[in-house]
Amino acid sequence: MPSGGGGAYGNGNGGGPGNGGRSHRRGDGGQGGGEGRRAGRTARRSRRKRALVWTAGVLSFLILGTAGAGYLYYEHLNSKLKKEDLNLGSKDMADHKPNSAGQTPLNILLIGSDARDNKANQKLGGGRDTFGAAPLADVQMLIHISADRSNISVLSMPRDTMLEIPECKDKKKNKVYPASKFAQTNESLGRGGPGCTVATWYNLTGIPIDHFMMIDFAGVVSMADAIGGVPVCVEQNIHSRTRDGKGSGLKLRKGTTSIKGEDALKWLRTRYGFGDGTDLYRARAQQMYMTSMVRELRKNAKLTDPNKLRKLAEAAIDSLTVSDTINSVKKLLDIGNDLKKVPASRITTTTMPNVYSERRAGKVEPKAGEAEDVFRMIREDIPLDGKGSAAKPLKPKPKTAPVSKDPAAAPGEIRVRVQNGTDGGGLAPARGRAGEVSAALAAKGFTQASATTVRNPMATTLIRYASDDLEGDAQAVAKALGIPLTAVRKAPDGPAGITLTVGADWRQGNVFPKPKPKSNKLPTSANALAGDDDKACMPVQAGFGW
């Protein structure tokens, strides 16, 4: 890059040929001439700084920082920006609900890919047997920037989470991947690309996602090197290596160490050696790295150096794949400006509340109730740090349903088929629910209620009736069990008669549970970490010290 302020980047105001630079010399040899020269140099430096330096938020699961470049370099970065479709699922995402000030939040899904699709990634990722295999989304973090830009919430999903992956279409290959009712979340990336991971998140959480950013192994190393190191802490000496050769190879002394390059990648990939050796502690370590990086970038004066900034920008762009909703580096700049407004003390990282799976050993599933509580808080733009936003979200009006004018028959004359749909929330089905609920109906006089073996997974309990003359009967069934009338719906294309599907929201008991008062307090199972907590340290698993 030229060192002068004119030429390709400036506007001809420097002292080079053809720009009238000599006119700045006053020719009197006195103080005024010196001041003029100094003023000219100051002005040129100011213009040069404006021309050469722009601030961009380059955000991935690793990076929140700035990058410096001139106009041509900006165009160079623009040409290298890799883009893919935001959403490969068949379900359109809902629009954001604005708050009372008309502001809307911003949600970005950060994806760390384990792709071994080139020599650099193969060298860093190892695993020769996986060269050329479908990539896995081994790191997934949702970053929620509040509508008023006062706080940021980061939600991690462990890569071992078992859930439903919806149907996804690979538009490049014109291939459709059928839905999978019970699959590991990191497999979503191999079903057409990051747009399927976005669709999977939306299918589970209902949180509309505006953008995604994806980074690979080589990107982790190059960006960590460009930053110059990130401080991390372990409670004891650690060496992540098992007797049979498993582990990341991370080797650190007790206390705080600044890591970069391959050590940074090892930290982010370490499972054996942290906590209890599960993926949950790996996610925790990734959160610590991210928050530490944010603090480091904000205080690191070296990042005002244009050469340093250019290296960071180059590393970021080379390693990133973004959604087509980020159509230019200017969009990254806009996102970065939003991120910069939030102090570290208002950044909260969490892990999706989860439980160990009863269906797949060593895997986890979303924790019923508490996972949805976190999803709801993000959907409703409620700060996870409990401090509240300046502009409150609008409260939706409670849903009600009119009482049917169709008179209900006597309970003993109403036929009801009961289905078990308790696995609709992604959890294992609660066994025997159809029989339990049909028995509860019989006890209330609905002697023609019968359980079916048909499974129909639903997140919420639903009563469907086939024709208008059954509306009153269907509502009578709902009233008998305490089910809200909003769950009673006409379904002329559905099964004949009345069908009650017991959803994931009613896994036990003979009376439909009353809705719990909504809490704006983050569950302890979310394992929150504040962005300004520089004392956090990773626990070391027994047997991995040295």
Side-chain angles (χ1 to χ4, degrees):
M1 180 173 287
S3 59
Y9 303 101
N11 55 10
N13 291 327
N19 62 2
R22 286 186 296 274
S23 65
H24 289 289
R25 297 176 182 172
R26 300 178 65 95
D28 58 9
Q31 185 177 0
E35 290 176 350
R37 285 192 294 274
R38 285 193 295 272
R41 286 195 297 269
T42 301
R44 287 194 295 274
R45 284 196 298 268
S46 177
R47 283 189 290 270
R48 187 155 59 239
K49 183 176 180 181
R50 288 196 300 270
L52 295 179
V53 179
W54 51 273
T55 302
V58 180
L59 174 62
S60 70
F61 82 97
L62 290 174
I63 182 70
L64 165 57
T66 56
Y71 173 74
L72 292 185
Y73 192 64
Y74 166 83
E75 290 300 318
H76 163 70
L77 293 178
N78 250 349
S79 68
K80 297 178 71 175
L81 193 61
K82 300 180 288 293
K83 300 181 283 289
E84 294 193 21
D85 292 326
L86 172 66
N87 181 14
L88 298 182
S90 57
K91 184 187 298 184
D92 292 332
M93 288 187 284
D95 293 329
H96 288 296
K97 294 180 180 179
N99 63 15
S100 56
Q103 303 163 311
T104 54
L106 185 66
N107 295 322
I108 306 164
L109 185 62
L110 310 183
I111 303 169
S113 166
D114 80 337
R116 293 163 172 84
D117 52 359
N118 58 46
K119 290 183 179 179
N121 283 327
Q122 289 169 0
K123 178 182 177 182
L124 294 167
R128 290 183 178 276
D129 57 332
T130 62
F131 287 4
L136 299 172
D138 274 356
V139 179
Q140 299 176 35
M141 290 184 181
L142 179 71
I143 291 193
H144 171 83
I145 309 173
S146 67
D148 63 4
R149 302 308 190 254
S150 69
N151 64 90
I152 292 174
S153 301
V154 182
L155 176 63
S156 293
M157 184 186 296
R159 73 169 191 171
D160 291 340
T161 301
M162 304 301 296
L163 41 60
E164 178 182 358
I165 298 180
E167 178 184 280
C168 290
K169 183 175 182 179
D170 185 339
K171 297 181 181 179
K172 294 179 182 178
K173 299 180 180 179
N174 196 28
K175 179 179 180 179
V176 176
Y177 293 86
S180 179
K181 291 295 184 182
F182 192 67
Q184 192 165 312
T185 182
N186 64 352
E187 296 175 11
S188 60
L189 184 59
R191 302 189 183 204
C196 189
T197 305
V198 168
T200 300
W201 269 77
Y202 184 68
N203 188 64
L204 174 67
T205 69
I207 300 170
I209 296 172
D210 302 284
H211 313 294
F212 71 72
M213 296 184 186
M214 182 172 70
I215 191 171
D216 57 20
F217 288 147
V220 171
V221 173
S222 61
M223 293 172 73
D225 284 342
I227 292 165
V230 174
V232 295
C233 178
V234 288
E235 294 179 355
Q236 303 292 335
N237 292 355
I238 181 175
H239 187 200
S240 176
R241 184 67 70 202
T242 65
R243 291 180 179 178
D244 57 354
K246 294 180 180 179
S248 69
L250 179 72
K251 190 173 184 179
L252 294 176
R253 291 188 179 277
K254 174 183 177 180
T256 300
T257 305
S258 182
I259 59 173
K260 60 181 180 179
E262 292 190 37
D263 283 337
L265 179 60
K266 289 176 182 178
W267 175 276
L268 292 160
R269 298 186 68 200
T270 294
R271 171 177 178 174
Y272 300 109
F274 284 155
D276 60 2
T278 65
D279 190 53
L280 302 180
Y281 278 91
R282 172 164 40 199
R284 182 69 168 176
Q286 291 164 356
Q287 293 170 353
M288 285 187 180
Y289 184 93
M290 181 177 178
T291 55
S292 179
M293 179 179 288
V294 171
R295 294 192 299 270
E296 193 70 10
L297 285 168
R298 291 187 172 184
K299 71 180 182 182
N300 194 340
K302 291 184 295 184
L303 291 179
T304 61
D305 174 13
N307 187 50
K308 188 80 172 181
L309 292 167
R310 286 194 298 272
K311 288 181 179 179
L312 179 57
E314 195 78 32
I317 294 298
D318 283 344
S319 63
L320 283 176
T321 298
V322 300
S323 58
D324 54 3
T325 51
I326 301 176
N327 54 15
S328 69
V329 174
K330 171 62 168 60
K331 187 66 177 180
L332 289 175
L333 165 64
D334 295 338
I335 294 171
N337 286 336
D338 283 337
L339 290 160
K340 284 166 56 182
K341 296 174 184 177
V342 181
S345 60
R346 295 301 312 278
I347 300 174
T348 305
T349 63
T350 62
T351 300
M352 179 194 72
N354 56 82
V355 294
Y356 283 109
S357 175
E358 297 178 357
R359 292 179 282 177
R360 188 74 59 84
K363 309 301 180 182
V364 299
E365 299 182 26
K367 187 174 184 178
E370 294 189 9
E372 171 56 27
D373 286 343
V374 178
F375 302 156
R376 177 188 58 80
M377 290 178 71
I378 294 176
R379 286 197 304 267
E380 297 181 3
D381 197 27
I382 299 168
L384 300 188
D385 60 8
K387 297 179 180 178
S389 295
K392 300 294 184 183
L394 294 173
K395 292 183 178 180
K397 294 181 179 179
K399 294 180 180 179
T400 58
V403 176
S404 175
K405 295 180 180 179
D406 172 50
E413 299 176 5
I414 300 175
R415 294 179 180 272
V416 185
R417 287 187 300 274
V418 183
Q419 299 175 341
N420 187 352
T422 52
D423 51 339
L427 298 176
R431 299 184 182 279
R433 288 299 290 152
E436 292 171 357
V437 173
S438 62
L441 278 171
K444 292 181 177 292
F446 293 84
T447 54
Q448 297 196 55
S450 60
T452 72
T453 57
V454 175
R455 291 270 296 283
N456 188 10
M458 286 191 178
T460 57
T461 297
L462 184 66
I463 298 176
R464 293 168 292 169
Y465 59 93
S467 55
D468 290 338
D469 61 318
L470 295 174
E471 182 181 26
D473 295 349
Q475 288 195 356
V477 172
K479 292 175 184 177
L481 296 173
I483 300 171
L485 296 186
T486 52
V488 179
R489 300 174 190 174
K490 182 179 179 181
D493 297 329
I498 299 173
T499 302
L500 164 59
T501 304
V502 184
D505 57 349
W506 190 14
R507 296 179 63 85
Q508 58 185 4
N510 292 336
V511 177
F512 188 77
K514 292 183 179 180
K516 296 179 180 178
K518 290 183 178 180
S519 171
N520 292 345
K521 185 177 180 181
L522 191 67
T524 56
S525 58
N527 202 17
L529 176 67
D532 60 349
D533 184 358
D534 57 1
K535 300 295 190 296
C537 230
M538 284 301 298
V540 175
Q541 187 178 8
F544 286 86
W546 57 277

